[in-house]
Amino acid sequence: METWDAIRARRNVRQYTDQEVTRADLERVLEAGRRAPSASNWQPWNFVVVTDRRQLTELARVWRGAGHVATSAATIALVGAEPEDDAQAQRLQYDFGQATAYIMLAAADLGIGSGHAGVGDQADARRVLGFPEDHFCAYLIALGYPADRPLRPIRHPNRRPFDDVVHWGRW
Amino acid sequence: METWDAIRARRNVRQYTDQEVTRADLERVLEAGRRAPSASNWQPWNFVVVTDRRQLTELARVWRGAGHVATSAATIALVGAEPEDDAQAQRLQYDFGQATAYIMLAAADLGIGSGHAGVGDQADARRVLGFPEDHFCAYLIALGYPADRPLRPIRHPNRRPFDDVVHWGRW
């Protein structure tokens, strides 16, 4: 898909068909995430990929907003080391945001929908995912083919008007 | 450009040719940023677009790592309201990261290079950009055509190995 179409077609998808995401497609999406830029190229992310239904069902319980993880074809957990200070925590969030966008756009390019979720209970997430004690799971990115309709460029996105967001020259 | 090519072609570009970025291309790149997802669709971003050479030169002084802004064809400043608490600060960083990736990939799609920079001196940034007192400039994204070579998919990116980053099933 053309980049401009993928950018306009991505939307939050939280209801999925039964269709699996192939290993090759998962690898491509993960490769996109791995290639995301980060501060001084520190690459603070680790990706834990879950496709087992029982594990997905358990993972869906780590936050009230993560219910759609249970029915996803696959979910990528973004795991990082506990930041050392506030500045590092902010850099980590910014760079996790970049990796998330890379993952979601690479998925959209393949017609795969995505819906992210936060994580409330780290102990629960650690039990399901097995990451070390000094790490935490920042986000879950659920993937699957949209149950409602295929991804297509959206003409009028529900966003603030362009002229409200953009200032030319000065605020 | 195909999405997968744009994802693999984007790299940090800090040296630019003299070629301008057209208004139409800037609008597309900004539109991509506007379409980025954010927590509960709060869209915490504002984009101030600078193309005036004198203003770019001044803007390049807001941080020691922002020198390349001076010679960029255009720079987009990401401006947000001061967060109310730490949780909101982290959400803002994550969502600014997503918007940054959208902007950079939309630019790469057009053959335009990008290089981000932090902001050290908020008072200086405010003087150049004119944003309100209760807002801050989180990042600068400099844009321009690469001076060295056109953007092309990178076969071996300088990133941690795939198998080091990705865990299947469990960590």
Side-chain angles (χ1 to χ4, degrees), chain A residues 1 3 10 34 41 43 45-47 49 55 94 100 102 127 129 154 158 160 165 167 169 171, chain B residues 1 3 10 34-35 41 43 45-47 49 55 94 100 102 129 154 158 160 165 167 169-171:
Chain A
M1 195 189 284
T3 314
R10 193 221 58 88
R34 183 179 81 101
N41 200 27
Q43 310 168 60
W45 43 67
N46 303 275
F47 307 137
V49 195
Q55 206 182 351
Y94 181 69
T100 297
Y102 269 62
R127 188 178 50 76
L129 299 170
I154 296 166
N158 59 339
R160 289 164 52 206
V165 173
H167 303 257
W171 184 285
Chain B
M1 194 190 283
T3 313
R10 193 220 58 86
R34 182 180 80 100
R35 283 175 175 256
N41 200 26
Q43 309 168 62
W45 43 67
N46 303 275
F47 307 136
V49 194
Q55 206 181 349
Y94 181 69
T100 298
Y102 269 63
L129 299 170
I154 296 166
N158 59 339
R160 290 164 53 205
V165 172
H167 301 257
R170 278 178 73 85
W171 184 285

Side-chain angles (χ1 to χ4, degrees), chain A residues 33-45 91 95 98, chain B residues 10 12 14 116 157-160:
Chain A
R34 183 179 81 101
R35 282 173 175 258
S38 59
S40 307
N41 200 27
W42 71 319
Q43 310 168 60
W45 43 67
R91 271 199 300 278
D95 291 336
Q98 298 197 80
Chain B
R10 193 220 58 86
N12 292 330
R14 295 202 171 82
H116 106 303
N158 59 339
R159 295 291 187 271
R160 290 164 53 205

Side-chain angles (χ1 to χ4, degrees), chain A residues 119-132:
Chain A
V119 175
D121 191 325
Q122 289 296 330
D124 245 26
R126 186 174 289 113
R127 188 178 50 76
V128 178
L129 299 170
F131 55 82

Side-chain angles (χ1 to χ4, degrees), chain B:
Chain B
M1 194 190 283
E2 283 285 319
T3 313
W4 185 235
D5 289 338
I7 284 172
R8 292 179 303 150
R10 193 220 58 86
R11 57 183 167 87
N12 292 330
V13 175
R14 295 202 171 82
Q15 294 195 307
Y16 311 100
T17 69
D18 289 338
Q19 191 181 340
E20 283 184 17
V21 175
T22 66
R23 172 87 177 205
D25 282 357
L26 281 177
E27 284 179 356
R28 175 181 279 208
V29 165
L30 292 157
E31 173 68 11
R34 182 180 80 100
R35 283 175 175 256
S38 59
S40 307
N41 200 26
W42 71 318
Q43 309 168 62
W45 43 67
N46 303 275
F47 307 136
V48 186
V49 194
V50 179
T51 54
D52 177 75
R53 185 61 52 207
R54 229 165 85 179
Q55 206 181 349
L56 287 167
T57 307
E58 286 186 37
L59 197 55
R61 297 190 188 118
V62 300
W63 192 53
R64 58 185 161 77
H68 60 293
V69 164
T71 56
S72 67
T75 287
I76 301 173
L78 271 58
V79 174
E82 288 284 358
E84 288 167 15
D85 54 36
D86 190 54
Q88 196 179 73
Q90 300 218 0
R91 271 199 299 280
L92 186 143
Q93 290 289 331
Y94 181 69
D95 292 336
F96 272 34
Q98 298 198 80
T100 298
Y102 269 63
I103 285 169
M104 287 184 165
L105 289 172
D109 178 50
L110 299 167
I112 299 165
S114 56
H116 106 303
V119 176
D121 191 324
Q122 289 295 331
D124 244 26
R126 186 175 290 112
R127 188 178 50 75
V128 178
L129 299 170
F131 55 83
E133 282 288 335
D134 57 353
H135 282 57
F136 75 110
C137 180
Y139 298 98
L140 303 172
I141 304 172
L143 301 171
Y145 291 91
D148 51 358
R149 61 190 187 283
L151 298 178
R152 268 189 297 263
I154 296 166
R155 198 165 302 182
H156 302 292
N158 59 339
R159 295 291 187 271
R160 290 164 53 205
F162 186 91
D163 292 335
D164 181 44
V165 172
V166 175
H167 301 257
W168 297 93
R170 278 178 73 85
W171 184 285

